[in-house]
Amino acid sequence: MTYASSRRDNLALAAVCLSSMMFGLEISSVPAILPTLEKVFRADFPQLQWTMNAYTIAVATVLMAAGTLADRYGRKRLLVLTIVVFGATSLLCGVAPDMPVLIVGRALQGASGGAMLICQVAVLSEQFNGAKERAWAFGWWGIVFGSGLGFGPVIGSGIAALMGWVWVFLLHGLIAALTAALAVAGVRESKDPDAQRLDLAGIVTLSVAVFCLAYFITEGGELGFSSPTALAIIGAAGVSLIAFIVAERITPHPMFDFSVFRVRPFSGALFGSMGMNFSFWPFMIYLPIWFQAGLGLDGLTAGLALLAYTLPTLVVPPFAERLSLRHGPGIVIPAGLFAIGLGFLIMRIGTGGGVAALPITLIGALAAGIGLGATNTPVTNTTTGSVSSDRAGMASGIDMSARMISLAINIALMGFVLVDGVLYSLKGAASGSFEAAQLRHLAEQIAAGTAAGLHDAVPGLPDAISRTAMAAGFGDVMLYGAIGVWVLAALSFLTFGRRREVYDPV
């Protein structure tokens, strides 16, 4: 029997690809319905942020643990379990009666999705042994995963418009049932007899540090950044981070081997990984709000407009790989990051308004998407290829953790910059009519896309004030994204240097 006719392997690949599609869709389709959630649940701006942050923080929490658990208890067993849990938590999100339940559901979704993602890679690596077969399998996996991310905004907008926002979540319950059945029928069970012990100390301390930092940034405006509660939270983040570093240095089998950071290509690529999540990916949460509330597009049209942002991430990677082979990742990765920053500056010009606002924004979104497509694949290949083969899994885990952690933190940071920019603009136009707490609440409403809040509070006050404030806030976010990604592009370029190294563990 030839490889291509292996029914079991085809079933396994179908299960892995469907599960990767679900994971990707839940990252990129949900931002497109955030304005709808704001209206349905009367959600405030921090709640909209937590809808995404709960997912990404949970993913980052389980990534390293999931690999160890899969090796010890069975990759097929954990994959099937996580698919079932992902489907169940998707149903929970779809029937959520309010925002707190939805946020809890998103956290559970993220935890099961992160474990599911790690199992996908492990299953493909084990099920497809030959180099040709493995390349074929991972190629299909990458296409489906990328399609879920790239088409997620328009799929989410389309489902919400035709069937209602709940089906953005409920649909995954049906897909998960099919995917679990395919996994049971097709995936071969495998374990690692030499699986290491779970690094509980590292997992707990890192998770607490990330959560506390994201909470401080997201809720600090409401709590007061200098309040005892806020200071206690940021103090807990600092103590947890120190405890994590100590734990990883003294444990016999750390999930983070810090010595790998001495490898210049690895560290240079890691700066690239962080750069994408200082700019492109967190802004996907806020761009639908700008398209709808700022530029006046309806939900479905906004989803189609988002294709300018996401489609290049599917088209550009093959060309980026060729450029990386010819010129080296030390050139391609910083150049890709620079293109993302350029795109953000172009989008910022679009906040000036006028008939050209939408075309300029789309041009900037396209440039940012091209930059992301040029950066993403070389980053992944360099982080795993610059270390010895026995550390490739660890390197991949650090890369994915860096992505999720920087994404979670920058979702919060971009939200803070957005609200602060709106608030600053409002202070100049309406500060005499409101107390400080009221003004902040109005700034959060405008940032979430509810421009009517300011108009209703003061009859006769022009809507232009809220629109100007929103444009100012989004302009600040775009500038933050451009500066952040350019700083990391410079760090990546300087870290790569001219040398090529391979990590040799000591």
Side-chain angles (χ1 to χ4, degrees):
M1 180 182 292
T2 64
Y3 171 76
S5 64
S6 173
R7 180 175 179 272
R8 184 166 188 174
D9 284 352
N10 288 337
L11 290 175
L13 180 60
V16 168
C17 287
L18 280 175
S19 61
S20 72
M21 182 187 70
M22 289 193 296
F23 181 83
L25 281 174
E26 283 305 278
I27 292 177
S28 63
S29 65
V30 174
I33 65 168
L34 289 181
T36 302
L37 295 178
E38 186 276 329
K39 296 175 183 176
V40 171
F41 290 125
R42 297 184 180 275
D44 59 30
F45 188 67
Q47 286 177 323
L48 295 181
Q49 289 180 285
W50 281 114
T51 303
M52 294 304 302
N53 241 347
Y55 188 89
T56 54
I57 291 175
V59 171
T61 298
V62 304
L63 279 174
M64 302 302 290
T68 301
L69 292 174
D71 289 343
R72 174 171 290 188
Y73 297 107
R75 289 134 187 168
K76 175 181 179 178
R77 180 179 300 175
L78 191 61
L79 176 63
V80 173
L81 176 62
T82 55
I83 291 171
V84 171
V85 174
F86 189 88
T89 54
S90 297
L91 294 177
L92 173 62
C93 291
V95 300
D98 51 37
M99 284 301 294
V101 175
L102 178 59
I103 291 169
V104 170
R106 288 286 288 167
L108 296 174
Q109 245 194 343
S112 56
M116 187 171 66
L117 178 64
I118 292 298
C119 291
Q120 292 164 16
V121 177
V123 165
L124 288 182
S125 298
E126 189 68 29
Q127 186 109 8
F128 300 89
N129 295 317
K132 182 178 180 181
E133 293 84 355
R134 183 174 296 180
W136 177 78
F138 271 98
W140 274 110
W141 175 76
I143 290 171
V144 175
F145 189 19
S147 297
L149 287 171
F151 289 99
V154 69
I155 291 173
S157 300
I159 292 174
L162 298 175
M163 303 170 65
W165 70 266
V166 296
W167 284 100
V168 173
F169 298 108
L170 295 180
L171 194 62
H172 291 298
L174 302 176
I175 299 175
L178 172 61
T179 305
L182 291 171
V184 169
V187 176
R188 298 185 185 91
E189 186 58 281
S190 62
K191 299 180 182 179
D192 182 359
D194 300 318
Q196 298 177 354
R197 296 174 60 183
L198 198 61
D199 182 11
L200 283 175
I203 293 168
V204 171
T205 52
L206 182 61
S207 301
V208 170
V210 174
F211 176 80
C212 288
L213 181 56
Y215 192 89
F216 174 80
I217 298 168
T218 303
E219 304 290 344
E222 186 71 24
L223 295 172
F225 287 106
S226 59
S227 68
T229 301
L231 293 177
I233 291 170
I234 194 63
V239 170
S240 298
L241 181 59
I242 294 171
F244 168 72
I245 295 172
V246 173
E248 296 308 283
R249 289 194 173 277
I250 64 176
T251 186
H253 302 290
M255 65 179 186
F256 273 54
D257 183 355
F258 291 109
S259 62
V260 76
F261 294 113
R262 294 198 299 262
V263 182
R264 294 170 71 103
F266 177 86
S267 294
L270 204 63
F271 279 126
S273 182
M274 294 170 62
M276 294 184 290
N277 292 286
F278 262 75
S279 52
F280 187 92
W281 290 119
F283 192 59
M284 185 179 280
I285 314 304
Y286 302 103
L287 190 53
I289 298 174
W290 173 245
F291 276 139
Q292 293 186 51
L295 297 178
L297 305 181
D298 60 51
L300 185 57
T301 306
L304 291 171
L306 280 168
L307 290 176
Y309 198 63
T310 58
L311 274 186
T313 66
L314 303 179
V315 177
V316 174
F319 301 99
E321 275 301 288
R322 294 175 189 171
L323 289 173
S324 185
L325 290 173
R326 177 175 297 180
H327 302 290
I331 299 295
V332 174
I333 291 173
L337 295 177
F338 179 83
I340 295 174
L342 180 62
F344 270 69
L345 285 186
I346 294 173
M347 285 191 286
R348 187 172 189 267
I349 296 173
T351 63
V355 294
L358 179 58
I360 291 173
T361 302
L362 293 176
I363 292 171
L366 186 66
I370 291 172
L372 190 283
T375 306
N376 192 32
T377 305
V379 162
T380 302
N381 291 343
T382 304
T383 52
T384 55
S386 60
V387 302
S388 58
S389 59
D390 62 319
R391 294 299 179 94
M394 179 271 300
S396 178
I398 292 177
D399 173 35
M400 189 62 68
S401 296
R403 293 181 190 225
M404 291 296 113
I405 292 169
S406 54
L407 175 59
I409 291 172
N410 279 282
I411 288 174
L413 279 173
M414 280 193 171
F416 171 77
V417 172
L418 175 57
V419 172
D420 196 63
V422 172
L423 181 60
Y424 184 82
S425 178
L426 288 179
K427 284 180 179 178
S431 60
S433 304
F434 301 95
E435 296 179 358
Q438 291 177 313
L439 204 62
R440 171 165 285 277
H441 178 66
L442 290 172
E444 290 180 350
Q445 284 186 305
I446 292 171
T450 310
L454 183 59
H455 178 71
D456 294 340
V458 183
L461 191 66
D463 287 338
I465 291 178
S466 61
R467 296 186 182 279
T468 299
M470 171 173 271
F474 271 93
D476 288 350
V477 171
M478 293 166 185
L479 183 61
Y480 166 82
I483 293 173
V485 73
W486 278 353
V487 168
L488 285 160
L491 290 173
S492 176
F493 181 77
L494 294 173
T495 303
F496 268 107
R498 295 180 177 272
R499 295 184 292 173
R500 295 176 179 266
E501 301 180 35
V502 176
Y503 177 55
D504 184 17
V506 293

